[in-house]
Short mmCIF file of all heavy atoms in Angstrom, two decimals:
data_model
loop_
_atom_site.label_atom_id
_atom_site.label_comp_id
_atom_site.label_asym_id
_atom_site.label_seq_id
_atom_site.Cartn_x
_atom_site.Cartn_y
_atom_site.Cartn_z
N PHE A 92 2.80 -6.02 -16.29
CA PHE A 92 3.03 -6.42 -14.90
C PHE A 92 2.41 -7.79 -14.63
O PHE A 92 3.03 -8.65 -14.02
CB PHE A 92 2.43 -5.39 -13.96
CG PHE A 92 2.48 -5.80 -12.52
CD1 PHE A 92 3.68 -5.77 -11.82
CD2 PHE A 92 1.34 -6.24 -11.87
CE1 PHE A 92 3.73 -6.17 -10.48
CE2 PHE A 92 1.38 -6.63 -10.54
CZ PHE A 92 2.58 -6.59 -9.85
N TRP A 93 1.18 -8.01 -15.11
CA TRP A 93 0.55 -9.32 -14.89
C TRP A 93 1.34 -10.43 -15.55
O TRP A 93 1.48 -11.53 -15.00
CB TRP A 93 -0.88 -9.31 -15.41
CG TRP A 93 -1.81 -8.30 -14.80
CD1 TRP A 93 -2.72 -7.53 -15.47
CD2 TRP A 93 -1.93 -7.94 -13.42
NE1 TRP A 93 -3.39 -6.72 -14.60
CE2 TRP A 93 -2.93 -6.94 -13.33
CE3 TRP A 93 -1.30 -8.35 -12.26
CZ2 TRP A 93 -3.31 -6.37 -12.12
CZ3 TRP A 93 -1.66 -7.77 -11.05
CH2 TRP A 93 -2.65 -6.81 -10.99
N ASP A 94 1.85 -10.16 -16.73
CA ASP A 94 2.67 -11.17 -17.41
C ASP A 94 3.89 -11.52 -16.57
O ASP A 94 4.28 -12.69 -16.46
CB ASP A 94 3.12 -10.65 -18.79
CG ASP A 94 1.95 -10.56 -19.76
OD1 ASP A 94 0.92 -11.21 -19.51
OD2 ASP A 94 2.09 -9.84 -20.76
N LEU A 95 4.50 -10.48 -15.97
CA LEU A 95 5.68 -10.72 -15.13
C LEU A 95 5.31 -11.59 -13.93
O LEU A 95 6.02 -12.55 -13.61
CB LEU A 95 6.23 -9.38 -14.64
CG LEU A 95 7.30 -9.45 -13.54
CD1 LEU A 95 8.56 -10.10 -14.07
CD2 LEU A 95 7.58 -8.06 -12.98
N VAL A 96 4.21 -11.27 -13.29
CA VAL A 96 3.81 -12.02 -12.10
C VAL A 96 3.50 -13.48 -12.46
O VAL A 96 3.90 -14.40 -11.75
CB VAL A 96 2.60 -11.36 -11.42
CG1 VAL A 96 2.04 -12.23 -10.30
CG2 VAL A 96 2.99 -9.99 -10.88
N ARG A 97 2.82 -13.67 -13.55
CA ARG A 97 2.50 -15.05 -13.95
C ARG A 97 3.78 -15.84 -14.25
O ARG A 97 3.86 -17.02 -13.96
CB ARG A 97 1.60 -15.02 -15.19
CG ARG A 97 0.19 -14.52 -14.91
CD ARG A 97 -0.72 -14.75 -16.12
NE ARG A 97 -2.07 -14.28 -15.85
CZ ARG A 97 -2.55 -13.09 -16.22
NH1 ARG A 97 -1.76 -12.25 -16.88
NH2 ARG A 97 -3.79 -12.74 -15.94
N ASP A 98 4.77 -15.15 -14.81
CA ASP A 98 6.02 -15.84 -15.13
C ASP A 98 6.81 -16.23 -13.89
O ASP A 98 7.77 -17.01 -13.98
CB ASP A 98 6.89 -14.94 -16.02
CG ASP A 98 6.33 -14.82 -17.43
OD1 ASP A 98 5.46 -15.65 -17.79
OD2 ASP A 98 6.74 -13.89 -18.15
N LEU A 99 6.46 -15.72 -12.72
CA LEU A 99 7.17 -16.09 -11.49
C LEU A 99 6.92 -17.54 -11.11
O LEU A 99 7.70 -18.15 -10.37
CB LEU A 99 6.72 -15.18 -10.33
CG LEU A 99 7.06 -13.69 -10.44
CD1 LEU A 99 6.44 -12.93 -9.28
CD2 LEU A 99 8.57 -13.47 -10.48
N GLY A 100 5.82 -18.10 -11.61
CA GLY A 100 5.53 -19.50 -11.32
C GLY A 100 5.06 -19.75 -9.90
O GLY A 100 5.26 -20.84 -9.36
N VAL A 101 4.44 -18.75 -9.30
CA VAL A 101 3.95 -18.89 -7.92
C VAL A 101 2.43 -18.75 -7.92
O VAL A 101 1.82 -18.29 -8.89
CB VAL A 101 4.58 -17.83 -7.00
CG1 VAL A 101 6.09 -17.98 -6.98
CG2 VAL A 101 4.20 -16.42 -7.45
N LYS A 102 1.83 -19.15 -6.81
CA LYS A 102 0.39 -18.98 -6.63
C LYS A 102 0.08 -17.50 -6.43
O LYS A 102 0.75 -16.82 -5.65
CB LYS A 102 -0.07 -19.79 -5.42
CG LYS A 102 -1.53 -19.67 -5.09
CD LYS A 102 -2.40 -20.47 -6.00
CE LYS A 102 -3.86 -20.43 -5.56
NZ LYS A 102 -4.76 -21.15 -6.49
N ILE A 103 -0.92 -17.00 -7.12
CA ILE A 103 -1.27 -15.58 -7.03
C ILE A 103 -2.42 -15.38 -6.05
O ILE A 103 -3.43 -16.08 -6.10
CB ILE A 103 -1.65 -15.03 -8.42
CG1 ILE A 103 -0.44 -15.08 -9.36
CG2 ILE A 103 -2.17 -13.60 -8.31
CD1 ILE A 103 -0.75 -14.66 -10.78
N LEU A 104 -2.21 -14.42 -5.15
CA LEU A 104 -3.23 -14.05 -4.18
C LEU A 104 -3.59 -12.58 -4.42
O LEU A 104 -2.91 -11.68 -3.92
CB LEU A 104 -2.71 -14.26 -2.75
CG LEU A 104 -3.62 -13.77 -1.62
CD1 LEU A 104 -4.96 -14.49 -1.64
CD2 LEU A 104 -2.94 -13.96 -0.26
N PRO A 105 -4.64 -12.32 -5.19
CA PRO A 105 -5.04 -10.92 -5.39
C PRO A 105 -5.50 -10.31 -4.07
O PRO A 105 -5.97 -11.03 -3.17
CB PRO A 105 -6.22 -11.04 -6.38
CG PRO A 105 -6.18 -12.42 -6.93
CD PRO A 105 -5.53 -13.26 -5.88
N ASN A 106 -5.39 -8.98 -3.97
CA ASN A 106 -5.83 -8.33 -2.74
C ASN A 106 -6.72 -7.12 -3.05
O ASN A 106 -6.77 -6.64 -4.19
CB ASN A 106 -4.64 -7.94 -1.87
CG ASN A 106 -3.76 -6.88 -2.52
OD1 ASN A 106 -4.22 -5.79 -2.84
ND2 ASN A 106 -2.47 -7.20 -2.72
N THR A 107 -7.38 -6.65 -2.02
CA THR A 107 -8.24 -5.48 -2.16
C THR A 107 -7.60 -4.28 -1.47
O THR A 107 -8.29 -3.48 -0.83
CB THR A 107 -9.64 -5.75 -1.57
OG1 THR A 107 -9.52 -5.98 -0.16
CG2 THR A 107 -10.30 -6.94 -2.22
N ALA A 108 -6.31 -4.15 -1.59
CA ALA A 108 -5.57 -3.06 -0.94
C ALA A 108 -6.16 -1.71 -1.32
O ALA A 108 -6.51 -1.47 -2.48
CB ALA A 108 -4.11 -3.12 -1.33
N GLY A 109 -6.27 -0.84 -0.33
CA GLY A 109 -6.76 0.52 -0.57
C GLY A 109 -8.26 0.67 -0.51
O GLY A 109 -8.77 1.78 -0.67
N CYS A 110 -8.98 -0.42 -0.28
CA CYS A 110 -10.43 -0.33 -0.20
C CYS A 110 -10.86 0.12 1.21
O CYS A 110 -10.41 -0.45 2.20
CB CYS A 110 -11.07 -1.67 -0.55
SG CYS A 110 -10.84 -2.13 -2.28
N HIS A 111 -11.77 1.08 1.25
CA HIS A 111 -12.22 1.62 2.54
C HIS A 111 -13.69 1.36 2.82
O HIS A 111 -14.23 1.87 3.79
CB HIS A 111 -11.94 3.13 2.59
CG HIS A 111 -10.49 3.48 2.70
ND1 HIS A 111 -9.89 3.88 3.87
CD2 HIS A 111 -9.51 3.45 1.77
CE1 HIS A 111 -8.61 4.11 3.67
NE2 HIS A 111 -8.35 3.85 2.39
N SER A 112 -14.33 0.59 1.97
CA SER A 112 -15.74 0.28 2.20
C SER A 112 -16.01 -1.15 1.77
O SER A 112 -15.25 -1.74 0.99
CB SER A 112 -16.63 1.24 1.42
OG SER A 112 -16.56 0.95 0.03
N VAL A 113 -17.10 -1.69 2.26
CA VAL A 113 -17.48 -3.05 1.90
C VAL A 113 -17.73 -3.15 0.41
O VAL A 113 -17.28 -4.09 -0.26
CB VAL A 113 -18.74 -3.47 2.69
CG1 VAL A 113 -19.27 -4.81 2.21
CG2 VAL A 113 -18.44 -3.51 4.19
N ARG A 114 -18.45 -2.17 -0.12
CA ARG A 114 -18.78 -2.20 -1.56
C ARG A 114 -17.53 -2.19 -2.42
O ARG A 114 -17.41 -2.93 -3.38
CB ARG A 114 -19.68 -1.01 -1.90
CG ARG A 114 -20.12 -0.99 -3.36
CD ARG A 114 -21.07 0.16 -3.63
NE ARG A 114 -21.50 0.17 -5.03
CZ ARG A 114 -22.29 1.10 -5.54
NH1 ARG A 114 -22.75 2.08 -4.79
NH2 ARG A 114 -22.64 1.06 -6.83
N GLU A 115 -16.57 -1.31 -2.06
CA GLU A 115 -15.31 -1.25 -2.80
C GLU A 115 -14.59 -2.60 -2.78
O GLU A 115 -14.10 -3.09 -3.80
CB GLU A 115 -14.39 -0.21 -2.15
CG GLU A 115 -14.33 1.13 -2.81
CD GLU A 115 -13.22 1.96 -2.18
OE1 GLU A 115 -13.17 2.08 -0.93
OE2 GLU A 115 -12.39 2.46 -2.94
N ALA A 116 -14.51 -3.18 -1.59
CA ALA A 116 -13.76 -4.43 -1.43
C ALA A 116 -14.43 -5.57 -2.19
O ALA A 116 -13.74 -6.37 -2.85
CB ALA A 116 -13.65 -4.77 0.06
N VAL A 117 -15.73 -5.67 -2.10
CA VAL A 117 -16.44 -6.76 -2.79
C VAL A 117 -16.30 -6.61 -4.31
O VAL A 117 -16.03 -7.59 -5.02
CB VAL A 117 -17.92 -6.78 -2.36
CG1 VAL A 117 -18.72 -7.73 -3.25
CG2 VAL A 117 -18.03 -7.19 -0.89
N THR A 118 -16.47 -5.39 -4.80
CA THR A 118 -16.34 -5.16 -6.25
C THR A 118 -14.93 -5.46 -6.73
O THR A 118 -14.73 -6.10 -7.78
CB THR A 118 -16.70 -3.69 -6.59
OG1 THR A 118 -18.04 -3.43 -6.17
CG2 THR A 118 -16.58 -3.44 -8.09
N THR A 119 -13.93 -5.04 -5.95
CA THR A 119 -12.54 -5.30 -6.32
C THR A 119 -12.24 -6.80 -6.32
O THR A 119 -11.55 -7.31 -7.20
CB THR A 119 -11.59 -4.58 -5.34
OG1 THR A 119 -11.87 -3.19 -5.36
CG2 THR A 119 -10.14 -4.80 -5.73
N ALA A 120 -12.79 -7.52 -5.35
CA ALA A 120 -12.59 -8.97 -5.30
C ALA A 120 -13.21 -9.64 -6.52
O ALA A 120 -12.61 -10.56 -7.11
CB ALA A 120 -13.21 -9.52 -4.02
N GLN A 121 -14.37 -9.19 -6.91
CA GLN A 121 -15.02 -9.78 -8.09
C GLN A 121 -14.23 -9.49 -9.36
O GLN A 121 -14.13 -10.35 -10.24
CB GLN A 121 -16.45 -9.25 -8.19
CG GLN A 121 -17.35 -9.76 -7.07
CD GLN A 121 -18.67 -9.03 -6.96
OE1 GLN A 121 -18.82 -7.91 -7.45
NE2 GLN A 121 -19.64 -9.66 -6.31
N MET A 122 -13.64 -8.30 -9.45
CA MET A 122 -12.77 -7.98 -10.59
C MET A 122 -11.55 -8.89 -10.59
O MET A 122 -11.12 -9.39 -11.64
CB MET A 122 -12.34 -6.52 -10.52
CG MET A 122 -13.43 -5.51 -10.77
SD MET A 122 -12.89 -3.82 -10.39
CE MET A 122 -11.46 -3.66 -11.45
N ALA A 123 -10.99 -9.11 -9.41
CA ALA A 123 -9.80 -9.96 -9.30
C ALA A 123 -10.09 -11.38 -9.75
O ALA A 123 -9.26 -12.04 -10.39
CB ALA A 123 -9.29 -9.94 -7.86
N ARG A 124 -11.26 -11.87 -9.40
CA ARG A 124 -11.62 -13.24 -9.80
C ARG A 124 -11.67 -13.36 -11.32
O ARG A 124 -11.26 -14.37 -11.89
CB ARG A 124 -12.96 -13.62 -9.19
CG ARG A 124 -13.40 -15.03 -9.52
CD ARG A 124 -14.52 -15.52 -8.62
NE ARG A 124 -15.71 -14.66 -8.70
CZ ARG A 124 -16.78 -14.83 -7.93
NH1 ARG A 124 -16.81 -15.79 -7.04
NH2 ARG A 124 -17.82 -14.02 -8.04
N GLU A 125 -12.17 -12.31 -11.97
CA GLU A 125 -12.23 -12.33 -13.43
C GLU A 125 -10.83 -12.24 -14.05
O GLU A 125 -10.52 -12.93 -15.03
CB GLU A 125 -13.09 -11.17 -13.93
CG GLU A 125 -14.53 -11.26 -13.51
CD GLU A 125 -15.22 -12.50 -14.06
OE1 GLU A 125 -14.97 -12.85 -15.22
OE2 GLU A 125 -15.98 -13.14 -13.31
N LEU A 126 -9.99 -11.39 -13.47
CA LEU A 126 -8.66 -11.18 -14.03
C LEU A 126 -7.75 -12.39 -13.86
O LEU A 126 -6.99 -12.76 -14.77
CB LEU A 126 -7.99 -9.97 -13.36
CG LEU A 126 -8.41 -8.57 -13.85
CD1 LEU A 126 -7.86 -7.52 -12.89
CD2 LEU A 126 -7.87 -8.34 -15.26
#
Side-chain angles (χ1 to χ4, degrees):
F92 173 74
W93 300 138
D94 290 342
L95 169 66
V96 172
R97 290 190 180 97
D98 289 344
L99 295 175
V101 300
K102 178 77 174 177
I103 295 175
L104 174 60
N106 66 58
T107 64
C110 292
H111 289 257
S112 71
V113 172
R114 183 177 180 183
E115 260 189 309
V117 169
T118 300
T119 302
Q121 291 167 340
M122 291 170 57
R124 182 165 59 185
E125 296 298 320
L126 280 169

